[in-house]
Amino acid sequence: MHAKVVAADRRVALLGSANLTGRALRENVEIGVVLRDRATVGHLVDHLRWLRSPTAGFMRPA
C-alpha cells in the first residue's frame, strides 16, 4: 500500500492513491480525501518533514 500527499500549507491537504498521469486518471480506480482539520494536517506535515529528516533515515535528499 502507498499513498500520495499534497499539502500546500498546514490547513488543507489531499491524501489519495492516484498517480497524476493521464493514463492513471483515465483508466484506474483511485480514491482521495481532502483534509481540512488544521490539527490533522499539521500532524501530517510534521510527519512528512520527519520522514525527510536525516535522523529518520528513510529518505535521502536528491
Side-chain angles (χ1 to χ4, degrees):
M1 184 173 113
H2 67 280
K4 282 74 171 190
V5 177
V6 177
D9 53 31
R10 297 180 68 86
R11 292 179 288 160
V12 179
L14 171 66
L15 174 62
S17 61
N19 291 313
L20 298 179
T21 64
R23 181 171 182 244
L25 296 173
R26 281 189 316 273
E27 299 175 21
N28 293 347
V29 176
E30 305 287 353
I31 192 165
V33 294
V34 175
L35 304 171
R36 297 182 194 274
D37 179 74
R38 288 183 183 217
T40 301
V41 175
H43 289 305
L44 180 62
V45 169
D46 291 341
H47 183 70
L48 292 171
R49 287 184 177 159
W50 175 79
L51 285 173
R52 293 201 59 205
S53 72
T55 56
F58 290 108
M59 302 173 73
R60 286 182 272 167

